[in-house]
Amino acid sequence: MSSTDTPIAEIPGDTLRERIVDDLRTKIGADLVDSLVKPGDDVWVRVSTDAWRRTGVALREMGFEYFCFLSAIDWMPSPFGKGEDDPTAPPTERDDTVKQGYAGGATRMQVLARLVHPALHVGINIKCDVSDSEPVVESWVSVFAGANWHEREAHEMFGIGFAGHPDLRNMYLPTEFEGHPLRKDFPLLARMVKPWPGIVDVEPMPGGSADEEGDAE
Amino acid sequence: MTSTESLIDRRQLAYIASQAADARLNVELETEGMTLNIGPQHPATHGTLRIIAHLDGEQVVWAEPSCGYMHRGYEKLTEVRTYPQVTSLVNRIDWLGSFANEVPFILAAEKLMGVEAPPRAQWIRTILFELSRIANVSLFLGDLGVQLGAITPVFMAFRDREHVLNLIEATTGGRFHPNFDRIGGLKDDLPAGFIDETRAVMKTMRNFCTEIEDLLFGNEIFQSRTRGIGVIPKDIAMQYGMSGANARASGIDWDLRRDQSLPMAWDKVEWKVWTHPDGDSFARCWIRLQEVREATLIVDQLLDNIPTGPIMAKVPRIIKVPEGEAWVSTENPLGEMGYYVVSKGDLGPFRTKIRSASFNNISIVPWILKGVYVPDIITILASLYFILGDIDR
């Protein structure tokens, strides 16, 4: 979904958030690849991979001083679905087209960060593409000291490198652990062994009718 | 007479000699330093956080927390569950204020679906949210004493917190893990007699706050152990993403209950955001004490005029959330807790990033422990206040 075909654009604009995108565009120029403003809700921007650190510096100068989080998204649909398959049956064919979310994208992996302007109380979600062949972006540690642990986590869970990070040790997993658990192609072993019985949760309650509305479960 | 004198002399000589030997030993050791493991099992770690501290004498040269003893992989697990099933997972992130963990996730899903809970559900959600805060932070206030060697406050905390847990149990059926929030509303309405009972409990909790204030915050030892210790300046707090009471103790006037519009009832009542300019351990503890008080006042006001009406909006029986991305964060007992939910129009989330407060709050530990004395490690950690499940997720 790119920013042009979303129905949100029909809602009257949000001058504050649009001004933030414009300010960022004057600072980093063509490195601001795509943006999406949801009026009264949130802002998404996508910057080019080379400008990742420069965007952090520019936004900090614009007053986005509060570092909220940094993580990544793997846009590839999971080849294992939701783990509802019978492990003894042959694997199901699944759609494996990579489809990015707000503000578009070109690669399977994307880095995602959020900064907040503490005076305006406005946040901004920043994304950048990470190439499959060389999954490395610049580190934000020298811009926001708090990015240190978040980058370690993203490195461990998604296998994304952060150039300039002082120490990309594992946070949670043993050092010798192989694989990156939050990548979609990393299987959740518990579900491989035994399919989750609760994924189809539509049996009627005892004594209730199946089509009743207003019951969330 | 002379024999006693000479005995004293000999003792003194022996003492001086032993001191000299110790001093020589210290000089030899000084170059090497010493690595001290605090935890994983330590009363100050609220779970299993291990801190590796490298000491030079009594001072910390560097300290590094070692996480992951309680990593449960909730971000991965949410990808294989349906939306209504996720609340039972996120319940267990900050296990002392469980209900508060469910709210931002449900709000994010509702935002994507374009559903809003009816007013009555919003009010009851806010009441339960604040009750979770009181249950969570009152335990902090009691625990604070234990870390400093005072045993009494923790018994008082457990005594009075029990009343709050009883209220949560009466409403939700679960003392610790309510799993009560639903997309579009709540599972059930309030039980009979809830309002009167809660009013009485709120009075008890205010008395508890006064007791703790007299007993602990006015105490000279407490003050000397916390004042001026572990100071976090405003800009450092911002950079590390410190939130909640830790940020407000550094003079950052920021509370997500006040500073963003959410379909909750905080903007319907009068209350105050407390800040403190000092940024030290004392300030962080003091802010939390004020917040428990403030929370009891919020609950009292909310009880006055709970709207009537349904507690559940019309939502389909099988919940499919439309494609999109949403970020919702709330001011949880530990700080900013948020969920970045990516939906592909499926039964469950495509990806959930759980931004928990303690993860950011604890990432400052290597910075803040540099150069402090060993006994202060414990008070600083206690005042930063973290829940292990909230760090590791």
Side-chain angles (χ1 to χ4, degrees), chain A residues 41-42 44 65-69 71-76 82 99 101-102 112 114 116 118 121 125 127 144-146 149-150 152-153 157-158 169 171-172 181-184 186 188 191 196 198-199 202-204 210 212 214-217, chain B residues 64-65 67-68 71 75-77 79-82 84-85 111 182-183 238-243 254 259 312-319 323-325 327 336 340 342 344 346-351 353 355 359-360 362-363 391-393:
Chain A
D41 180 6
D42 227 333
W44 284 264
E65 287 169 345
Y66 176 77
F67 172 78
C68 190
F69 71 83
S71 188
I73 302 178
D74 181 357
W75 288 107
M76 189 180 83
K82 288 197 178 294
K99 197 178 166 205
Y102 291 167
L112 165 77
R114 186 180 167 84
V116 180
H121 307 302
N125 303 303
K127 288 179 179 177
F144 297 98
W149 280 26
H150 290 256
R152 274 172 69 185
E153 195 188 10
M157 292 296 168
F158 289 94
R169 262 178 310 134
M171 290 209 74
Y172 303 123
L182 277 180
R183 285 190 176 216
K184 292 282 181 186
F186 188 94
L188 189 61
R191 290 289 169 85
W196 178 240
I199 207 74
V202 290
E203 294 97 341
E212 66 179 315
D215 186 355
E217 281 186 322
Chain B
E64 182 68 42
C67 310
H71 186 243
E75 290 184 15
K76 185 84 176 173
L77 283 174
E79 291 170 11
V80 291
R81 297 217 178 174
T82 64
Q85 288 167 352
K111 194 171 171 179
R182 297 286 186 272
I183 293 173
M238 282 281 186
Q239 271 199 33
Y240 277 94
M242 306 270 285
S243 52
W254 191 15
D259 297 334
M312 198 68 193
K314 285 278 178 200
V315 288
R317 186 171 166 76
I318 300 166
I319 288 187
E323 197 167 320
E325 293 169 43
W327 161 262
E336 181 182 11
Y340 190 93
V342 181
K344 289 260 184 178
D346 217 346
L347 285 171
F350 179 76
R351 160 119 174 86
K353 162 68 190 170
R355 190 266 190 218
F359 186 74
N360 279 41
I362 274 310
S363 70
I391 302 176
D392 287 350
R393 304 186 301 281

Side-chain angles (χ1 to χ4, degrees), chain A residues 32-53:
Chain A
L32 185 94
V33 184
D34 205 347
S35 66
L36 172 71
V37 177
K38 266 190 165 188
D41 180 6
D42 227 333
V43 192
W44 284 264
V45 294
R46 183 161 65 90
V47 299
S48 60
T49 315
D50 299 336
W52 178 245
R53 186 175 175 277

Side-chain angles (χ1 to χ4, degrees), chain B residues 134-162 204-205 207-219 221-222 285 289:
Chain B
I134 296 166
N136 182 325
V137 184
S138 60
L139 191 62
F140 160 81
L141 292 171
D143 207 36
L144 191 59
V146 177
Q147 324 262 335
L148 295 160
I151 304 295
T152 321
V154 79
F155 292 115
M156 288 157 59
F158 274 113
R159 179 196 69 198
D160 290 336
R161 179 173 166 264
E162 197 61 27
T204 316
M205 291 317 288
N207 287 339
F208 162 76
C209 289
T210 316
E211 269 180 327
I212 288 283
E213 191 163 25
D214 291 346
L215 199 67
L216 211 57
F217 285 72
N219 185 309
I221 300 168
F222 177 78
C285 303
L289 176 74

